[in-house]
């Protein structure tokens, strides 16, 4: 089955700097890669996603890149702000519809003022 | 629109007791997922349903766990008898059948003592 590895497990950056979180996946048939943000005491919330027919997607300060050949994808947050502090999860799934989204282990991001 | 609604938000119970967690899907969604989150194992998919039918329950830890969808908008996850190692946050999530995006509830925080 699919296996998703996420690095680093913790990341601390100065406010205003950029943060990058990386994930690798094992199943070449996976074609959907979302990123979720989880704040303390809440459920994960989708912040951005990318499909396998696209190499990069951007939404304001966040962007995701996908390298299908290498089977890895990354989340980039620019101009970080204190409210970006949270746990971020990458995930992968294959096929049509919302099937078996497999999550990475999570990255605890801390933005230092 | 209301999001995925879970209850109870917090539960503390004694070992051996039955625990029932409840979930109301987002209106119009056809897929329902139960995830468990722990520090050690991260986010694990326990079971998911499409159109009230269980599709994959391979993540259910053992026979003490059972999940049902008595109708298109409601699901329960039952643990009987509960054990201390079941302590975790249990998330319910839903998705349109034709879409990839999964929306999470706020979670049920279970502590078994």
């Amino acid at each position: 089955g699919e296996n998703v590895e996420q690095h680093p497990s913790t990341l601390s950056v100065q406010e205003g700097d950029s943060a990058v979180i990386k994930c690798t996946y094992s199943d070449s048939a996976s074609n959907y890669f979302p990123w979720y943000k989880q704040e303390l005491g809440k459920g994960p919330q989708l912040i951005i996603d990318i499909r396998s027919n696209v190499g990069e997607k951007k939404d304001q300060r966040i962007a995701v890149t996908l390298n299908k050949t290498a089977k890895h994808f990354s989340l980039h947050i620019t101009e970080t702000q204190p409210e970006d502090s949270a746990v971020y999860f990458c995930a992968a799934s294959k096929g049509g519809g919302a099937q078996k989204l497999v999550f990475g282990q999570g990255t605890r991001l801390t933005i230092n003022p | 629109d209301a999001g995925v609604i879970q209850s109870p938000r917090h539960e503390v119970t004694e070992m051996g007791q039955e625990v029932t967690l409840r979930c109301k899907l987002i209106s119009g969604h056809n897929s329902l997922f139960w995830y468990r989150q722990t520090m050690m194992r991260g986010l694990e998919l326990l079971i998911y349903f499409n159109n009230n039918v269980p599709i994959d329950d391979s993540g259910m830890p053992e026979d003490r766990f059972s999940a049902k969808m008595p109708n298109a908008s409601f699901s329960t996850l039952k643990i009987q008898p509960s054990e201390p190692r079941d302590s975790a946050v249990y998330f319910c999530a839903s998705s349109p059948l034709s879409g990839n995006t999964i929306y999470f509830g706020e979670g049920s925080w279970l502590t078994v003592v």
Side-chain angles (χ1 to χ4, degrees):
Chain A
E2 175 66 275
N3 182 50
V4 178
E5 298 285 335
Q6 183 172 347
H7 299 280
S9 57
T10 60
L11 179 61
S12 183
V13 301
Q14 287 299 120
E15 183 178 351
D17 288 350
S18 296
V20 180
I21 303 170
K22 299 180 179 181
C23 289
T24 60
Y25 61 99
S26 61
D27 192 337
S28 56
S30 289
N31 57 12
Y32 176 65
F33 308 93
W35 286 88
Y36 284 81
K37 176 183 180 182
Q38 186 177 23
E39 296 178 334
L40 194 62
K42 298 194 172 185
Q45 284 198 309
L46 178 74
I47 54 172
I48 195 168
D49 57 12
I50 192 168
R51 300 176 195 275
S52 60
N53 58 346
V54 175
E56 182 174 358
K57 184 176 179 181
K58 192 173 182 180
D59 183 4
Q60 298 182 1
R61 295 187 298 107
I62 59 173
V64 58
T65 58
L66 171 65
N67 183 327
K68 282 201 68 180
T69 303
K71 290 190 282 189
H72 67 69
F73 56 112
S74 300
L75 176 71
H76 304 252
I77 306 174
T78 59
E79 301 173 21
T80 54
Q81 300 169 5
E83 54 265 35
D84 295 329
S85 295
V87 179
Y88 291 81
F89 292 93
C90 63
S93 73
K94 59 184 178 182
Q99 299 180 26
K100 294 200 75 167
L101 203 58
V102 177
F103 283 86
Q105 296 87 344
T107 296
R108 183 173 298 279
L109 174 64
T110 302
I111 308 300
N112 301 310
Chain B
D1 286 340
V4 174
I5 300 172
Q6 291 188 244
S7 64
R9 289 296 318 278
H10 300 271
E11 176 144 348
V12 180
T13 191
E14 291 186 344
M15 182 174 63
Q17 296 297 306
E18 177 180 293
V19 174
T20 300
L21 307 178
R22 298 174 176 80
C23 174
K24 185 176 186 299
L25 284 69
I26 293 173
S27 178
H29 284 190
N30 312 90
S31 296
L32 181 282
F33 305 80
W34 282 103
Y35 281 85
R36 179 172 67 177
Q37 186 175 38
T38 60
M39 288 292 292
M40 291 297 295
R41 301 175 68 90
L43 274 164
E44 300 175 279
L45 178 64
L46 301 178
I47 185 171
Y48 79 96
F49 297 79
N50 285 344
N51 290 326
N52 304 3
V53 176
I55 302 300
D56 186 344
D57 65 354
S58 60
M60 295 287 261
E62 48 198 273
D63 292 345
R64 297 184 298 107
F65 285 68
S66 62
K68 293 182 179 179
M69 276 198 79
N71 59 56
S73 60
F74 184 74
S75 177
T76 59
L77 177 67
K78 188 172 292 187
I79 308 172
Q80 167 63 21
S82 57
E83 297 182 3
R85 61 194 168 118
D86 302 330
S87 298
V89 185
Y90 290 82
F91 287 104
C92 175
S94 73
S95 172
L97 189 60
S98 59
N100 289 112
T101 304
I102 294 178
Y103 299 87
F104 283 79
E106 297 285 77
S108 291
W109 297 65
L110 173 65
T111 303
V112 183
V113 297

